[in-house]
Amino acid sequence: MADTDWLTEAFEANRGRLRGVAYRMLGSASEADDAVQEAWLRVNAAGADGVENLGAWLMTITARVCLNMLRSQRSRREEFFESAPEAAAGLAGEADPESEAILADSVGAALQVVLDTLAPPERLAFVLHDLFAMPFDEIAPILGRSATAARQMASRARRRVQGAEMDAGRPRHPHRAIVDAFLTAARGGDVTELLGLLDPDVVLTADAGSSGFGEPRVVRGAEAVVRGATQFPARARWARAALVNGKPGMVLDPGGKLLGALTMEIKGGRITAVDIIGDVDRLVALTVAAL
């Protein structure tokens, strides 16, 4: 058997495991496939001469590809929220949030949410060690850190995951269903559903950091609120339900960086007030918890 045939066969035998690592690192099936393909290109170009532990070597290459992609992904998300409104609107159709949500269920909703907020090195250390039993002395070179540092990163990530699992077991907030419905409608740009969730006299306030006009803005009435919500589909893609300063709402925190928040007043099953927060001074003072 030719060397290339042997290497191809060996890679295919490990593909499922490599894709599992990539999915848990990147949170997207399509990006996981891209990462595995990129890993194969690197493996094929380098060859496996002198490699003693082929499985660990393939895992290392795939993990490095994922780490680079995750850092790039985080940077793109930050640029997305800092870009002009018209650029943000153009990204609204890039992904299917429903498909992403279904895929997230395969690794546990609480785990996936927390993984999305971890810094790339912490995420990699936790995924490789806790989910795939890779020893820290093999994880350390991938991160460019010591084994002790890699262990500490995984430990920090583990505490956050355990905290999320505890939150997941608590009773749902009485307004969680309304927040979820609002988020789903916002992601899909469903005007009819949004109007049904809003009180006819709803008041929306947006501070200077979130209004897009450089100054605070107030919008009154359900139709006016929905009509002005041109950024909902784009930004809602990255939002998650949360308890913000004790109120039901949602946060925008791709990569663990809080870029915006929204709180709601809900009475009689309808949203009567919405406060959109984008000012840095207000964001750093927020208390955010699981809804």
Side-chain angles (χ1 to χ4, degrees), residues 74-291:
R74 183 174 183 177
S75 176
R76 290 198 307 271
R77 288 181 180 179
E78 291 177 3
E79 291 173 358
F80 162 73
F81 283 106
E82 294 168 358
S83 64
E86 58 270 19
L91 292 174
E94 281 190 354
D96 178 356
E98 182 179 358
S99 297
E100 298 292 344
I102 292 172
L103 288 169
D105 286 342
S106 68
V107 293
L111 173 61
Q112 192 62 46
V113 167
V114 177
L115 287 180
D116 285 343
T117 67
L118 295 176
E122 291 181 347
R123 186 167 178 167
L124 183 141
F126 173 79
V127 167
L128 292 184
H129 181 267
D130 285 45
L131 302 187
F132 290 90
M134 192 170 183
F136 288 116
D137 58 357
E138 293 181 11
I139 296 172
I142 302 174
L143 296 172
R145 309 284 182 88
S146 67
T148 300
R151 184 186 302 275
Q152 292 172 342
M153 290 178 187
S155 180
R156 286 197 298 269
R158 191 179 306 115
R159 287 195 296 270
R160 295 186 65 178
V161 169
Q162 290 169 346
E165 289 171 344
M166 290 176 63
D167 285 338
R170 294 172 183 166
R172 288 167 62 91
H173 190 280
H175 295 317
R176 175 62 188 265
I178 294 176
V179 175
D180 285 344
F182 182 90
L183 189 53
T184 299
R187 283 172 172 161
D190 190 335
V191 173
T192 301
E193 181 66 15
L194 287 171
L195 286 173
L197 292 168
L198 296 171
D199 184 270
D201 299 320
V202 63
V203 177
L204 179 146
T205 59
D207 61 25
S210 62
S211 68
F213 294 92
E215 59 184 19
R217 191 180 187 195
V218 178
V219 179
R220 301 179 185 277
E223 291 187 2
V225 168
V226 173
R227 194 164 53 243
T230 56
Q231 298 308 309
F232 277 0
R235 296 201 171 195
R237 175 184 171 189
W238 308 113
R240 63 182 178 90
L243 202 62
V244 183
N245 281 356
K247 295 181 178 181
M250 58 191 69
V251 293
L252 305 170
D253 58 352
K257 181 178 180 180
L258 184 60
L259 301 174
L262 179 153
T263 65
M264 300 175 180
E265 297 283 352
I266 300 174
K267 296 179 181 179
R270 294 286 188 92
I271 301 168
T272 59
V274 178
D275 182 20
I276 303 177
I277 303 166
D279 286 342
V280 175
D281 290 341
R282 294 184 68 196
L283 288 174
V284 298
L286 292 178
T287 299
V288 178
L291 184 60

Side-chain angles (χ1 to χ4, degrees), residues 1-15 40 43-44 48 54 58:
M1 181 183 294
D3 289 344
T4 54
D5 293 338
W6 169 83
L7 189 56
T8 299
E9 188 173 294
F11 188 89
E12 290 302 319
N14 284 273
R15 179 180 288 274
W40 163 246
V43 166
N44 191 42
L54 183 64
L58 295 176

